[in-house]
């Protein structure tokens, strides 16, 4: 990095600390991720009021008592007669575009920087979110098409954010800042689902408003993103000399001169055991997360018989505690690593395992808790809260392996993981034709099996060392071997 003409700084003042550019970028990234997940997840609540509930022909003998009738529509304003299978395809359509856009997004982030790739992707998704009600009313094929395009818009978001953070976040801050930024997905889901449920209640099920609200908020964020964020410290016009020097000293493995970077080493990545471990491990997390994001509102309403307002609030509760855990475990991770309590690789393995086993046990226990609404919500919430351990472990592991190619590497990892989003909603729709408790319990058992197998593979192949293909040119400062063991 080359210093520009900036104000002199003898020591880091309180103002410099409070106005740290990497903190501002982290906060804006957090809000951006929150917007992205709000726009993708709001449909899971809205669809419960968009669609006529006329597909149940028999009362579930194991189901819960409630106001839902099985012969009439639950919402007189519902406009669409979509089967459970079709709803699954609509919910899963987003991930077709999402997977498709991962690699191109990673390449663009590597070439042009994370700022513009991330920002433009969220902007396009916002526009498409505003068009969602129109698409739904034209026909389900158009609805699926808009959801695919939204996935293309959001596809570059995680690779671009990884590329951005790799340029801004020192290794000793990686767990807590990375956890904070990526935990925006939970806040976005919380706000989207809880506010959607409330808005549907107070507006007499005027479901288009939930899409308009999400889209407008994201467009406002985009304006501030362009004003406040830069792709690298060297590009920032007002960064302090102190912070620039600090980042130059502590950004381990980052090449300061992007002109020396060779083309992205895709084949080397594909031959890397740790990369395969990450890609398969990502499936474990994404399977559980996508299932909860897309289908928990439906479970709460159809099986537990919550009202629409209750569905939005209680479906968001697991994400509240998950967010708290993500922030706390980020700080805990950096403390354990900095003080020699755990090696980096040990921390990544331990926390990722907790993040996989917890949700499996919580969802299964909830399905055996009968119709005790409080107990079910508590079990879901505690189980899913443990997923917060993921963000300071597997989610930041890509930056451990390759700071220089964090964007493209994350594109591969996130793309493979997102296949779970393509498979799980239609599969769940197929497995729950009548939305009964026993059908849902089978879903939770299958999901638990997928999660355990995928995480086990990650544990075997995981690494926290900078990989050989990270270095664009031979250097004397290589990081060979898993010294963090």
């Amino acid at each position: 990095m080359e210093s520009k003409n900036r104000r002199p700084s003898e020591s880091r003042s309180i103002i410099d600390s409070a106005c740290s550019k990497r903190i501002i970028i982290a906060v804006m990234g957090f809000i951006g991720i929150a917007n992205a997940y709000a726009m993708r997840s709001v449909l899971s609540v809205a669809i419960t009021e968009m669609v006529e509930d006329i597909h149940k022909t028999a009362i579930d003998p194991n189901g819960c008592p409630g106001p839902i009738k099985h012969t009439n529509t639950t919402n007189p304003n519902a406009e669409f007669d979509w089967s459970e299978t079709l709803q699954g395809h609509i919910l899963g359509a987003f991930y077709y575009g999402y997977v498709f856009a991962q690699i191109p997004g990673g390449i663009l982030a590597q070439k042009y920087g994370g700022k513009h790739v991330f920002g433009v992707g969220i902007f396009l998704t916002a526009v498409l979110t505003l068009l969602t009600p129109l698409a739904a009313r034209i026909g389900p094929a158009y609805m699926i098409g808009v959801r695919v395009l939204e996935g293309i818009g959001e596809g570059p978001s995680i690779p671009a954010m990884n590329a951005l953070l790799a340029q801004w976040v020192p290794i000793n801050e990686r767990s807590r800042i990375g956890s904070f930024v990526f935990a925006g997905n939970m806040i976005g889901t919380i706000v989207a689902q809880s506010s959607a449920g409330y808005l549907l209640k107070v507006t007499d099920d005027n479901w288009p408003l939930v899409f308009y609200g999400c889209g407008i908020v994201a467009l406002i964020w985009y304006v501030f993103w362009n004003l406040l964020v830069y792709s690298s410290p060297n590009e920032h016009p007002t960064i302090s000399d102190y912070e620039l020097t600090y980042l130059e000293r502590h950004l381990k493995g980052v090449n300061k001169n992007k002109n020396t970077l060779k083309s992205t080493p895709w084949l080397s990545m594909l031959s890397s055991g740790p990369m395969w471990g990450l890609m398969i491990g990502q499936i474990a997390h994404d399977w559980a997360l996508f299932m909860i994001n897309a289908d928990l509102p439906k479970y709460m309403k159809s099986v537990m018989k919550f009202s629409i307002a209750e569905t939005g609030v209680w479906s968001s509760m697991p994400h509240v505690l998950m967010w708290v855990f993500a922030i706390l475990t980020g700080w805990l991770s950096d403390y354990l690593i900095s003080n020699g309590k755990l090696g980096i690789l040990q921390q990544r393995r331990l926390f990722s395992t907790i993040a996989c086993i917890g949700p499996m046990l919580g969802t299964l226990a909830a399905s055996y808790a009968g119709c005790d609404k409080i107990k079910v919500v508590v079990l879901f919430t505690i189980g899913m809260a443990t997923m917060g351990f993921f963000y300071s472990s597997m989610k930041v592991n890509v930056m451990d392996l390759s700071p220089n190619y964090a964007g493209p590497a994350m594109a591969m990892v996130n793309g493979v993981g997102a296949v779970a989003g393509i498979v799980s909603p239609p599969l769940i729709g197929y497995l729950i034709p009548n939305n009964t408790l026993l059908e849902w319990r089978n879903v939770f058992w299958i999901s638990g099996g997928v999660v355990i197998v995928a995480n086990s593979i990650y544990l075997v192949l995981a690494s926290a060392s900078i990989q050989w293909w990270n270095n664009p040119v031979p250097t004397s400062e290589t990081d060979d071997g898993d010294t963090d063991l």
Side-chain angles (χ1 to χ4, degrees):
M1 295 179 191
E2 152 182 86
S3 297
K4 299 180 179 179
N5 293 324
R6 301 182 177 93
R7 65 182 182 278
S9 176
E10 297 297 329
S11 62
R12 190 176 192 183
S13 67
I14 295 176
I15 294 178
D16 280 338
S17 179
C19 298
S20 167
K21 303 307 178 185
R22 66 185 182 280
I23 299 303
I24 293 173
I25 285 171
V27 171
M28 290 302 298
F30 166 83
I31 298 172
I33 295 287
N35 276 314
Y37 275 76
M39 290 186 288
R40 83 166 67 171
S41 65
V42 71
L43 177 63
S44 62
V45 173
I47 201 169
T48 63
E49 298 303 298
M50 294 165 63
V51 179
E52 297 175 350
D53 188 16
I54 60 175
H55 304 292
K56 282 191 171 184
T57 58
I59 295 177
D60 180 4
N62 300 296
C64 303
I68 293 181
K69 300 177 182 180
H70 301 287
T71 56
N72 300 310
T73 63
T74 59
N75 170 22
N77 297 319
E79 298 184 32
F80 311 110
D81 178 15
W82 295 340
S83 68
E84 292 292 344
T85 301
L86 178 57
Q87 290 179 57
H89 285 297
I90 290 172
L91 289 169
F94 172 93
Y95 296 99
Y96 286 97
Y98 190 71
V99 170
F100 172 80
Q102 292 294 311
I103 300 299
I107 294 172
L108 290 172
Q110 186 69 31
K111 184 174 183 180
Y112 298 108
K115 170 186 175 176
H116 295 296
V117 176
F118 184 86
V120 170
I122 301 302
F123 172 80
L124 293 176
T125 306
V127 173
L128 290 163
T129 300
L130 294 173
L131 294 174
T132 297
L134 175 62
R137 285 165 172 161
I138 295 175
Y142 291 89
M143 181 68 172
I144 289 174
V146 165
R147 291 290 289 177
V148 171
L149 291 175
E150 284 186 14
I152 292 174
E154 281 194 27
S157 60
I158 301 300
M161 183 55 63
N162 255 275
L164 189 65
L165 294 180
Q167 294 294 317
W168 278 96
V169 181
I171 190 169
N172 59 309
E173 300 177 7
R174 189 170 290 164
S175 292
R176 60 180 179 269
I177 291 183
S179 296
F180 171 75
V181 172
F182 291 117
N185 72 13
M186 289 162 274
I187 294 299
T189 304
I190 292 165
V191 173
Q193 294 190 348
S194 58
S195 62
Y198 178 77
L199 191 60
L200 287 167
K201 178 182 179 182
V202 299
T203 61
D204 196 23
D205 302 315
N206 190 353
W207 57 266
L209 290 180
V210 301
F211 297 101
Y212 298 148
C214 283
I216 291 171
V217 169
L219 291 178
I220 294 172
W221 165 88
Y222 180 64
V223 174
F224 288 95
W225 176 261
N226 281 309
L227 294 174
L228 298 174
V229 173
Y230 293 83
S231 289
S232 70
N234 193 48
E235 296 176 20
H236 205 297
T238 61
I239 190 171
S240 69
D241 289 335
Y242 178 92
E243 187 172 12
L244 185 66
T245 302
Y246 176 82
L247 292 175
E248 287 178 331
R249 187 182 304 124
H250 291 91
L251 282 171
K252 182 180 179 182
V254 176
N255 191 285
K256 277 70 175 183
N257 183 2
K258 289 297 178 184
N259 292 327
T260 68
L261 288 177
K262 62 183 177 181
S263 59
T264 303
W266 298 110
L267 292 179
S268 297
M269 291 182 191
L270 285 172
S271 65
S272 172
M275 278 294 293
W276 276 102
L278 262 179
M279 287 188 287
I280 296 172
Q282 184 78 23
I283 293 174
H285 169 264
D286 286 0
W287 188 283
L289 182 64
F290 296 157
M291 178 188 70
I292 292 299
N293 283 350
D295 293 294
L296 184 57
K298 191 179 296 183
Y299 181 87
M300 291 296 195
K301 182 181 178 183
S302 299
V303 177
M304 299 307 301
K305 306 300 191 294
F306 284 111
S307 68
I308 183 57
E310 291 174 324
T311 294
V313 172
W314 295 123
S315 296
S316 68
M317 284 305 296
H319 299 281
V320 174
L321 207 54
M322 195 192 309
W323 176 74
V324 173
F325 271 52
I327 300 302
L328 293 178
T329 56
W331 286 91
L332 176 61
S333 297
D334 283 338
Y335 169 79
L336 293 173
I337 293 169
S338 297
N339 289 275
K341 307 294 184 181
L342 284 177
I344 298 176
L345 181 57
Q346 291 174 319
Q347 182 274 330
R348 304 301 192 234
R349 283 171 168 163
L350 174 62
F351 279 36
S352 70
T353 300
I354 295 172
C356 288
I357 293 178
M360 180 196 72
L361 296 178
T363 53
L364 279 172
S367 72
Y368 285 95
C371 294
D372 187 330
K373 293 185 176 182
I374 294 178
K375 186 183 293 185
V376 168
V377 170
V378 168
L379 288 169
F380 267 125
T381 301
I382 293 175
M384 296 309 297
T386 61
M387 194 179 288
F389 283 80
F390 168 81
Y391 295 91
S392 60
S393 55
M394 197 184 298
K395 194 69 172 179
V396 298
N397 197 189
V398 166
M399 288 184 279
D400 297 330
L401 303 182
S402 179
N404 281 324
Y405 298 105
M410 192 62 195
M412 291 178 62
V413 172
N414 213 48
V416 172
V419 171
I422 295 175
V423 175
S424 62
L427 176 62
I428 291 172
Y430 175 78
L431 293 172
I432 56 164
N434 299 303
N435 260 317
T436 66
L437 177 60
L438 293 182
E439 289 172 348
W440 275 102
R441 189 176 294 163
N442 290 334
V443 167
F444 295 144
W445 274 111
I446 292 171
S447 297
V450 171
V451 165
I452 292 298
V453 170
N455 186 68
S456 297
I457 295 173
Y458 169 73
L459 294 180
V460 173
L461 298 176
S463 173
S465 295
I466 294 177
Q467 300 298 293
W468 64 269
W469 40 265
N470 174 71
N471 297 314
V473 292
T475 67
S476 59
E477 298 181 6
T478 56
D479 188 350
D480 296 326
D482 283 3
T483 57
D484 51 317
L485 286 170

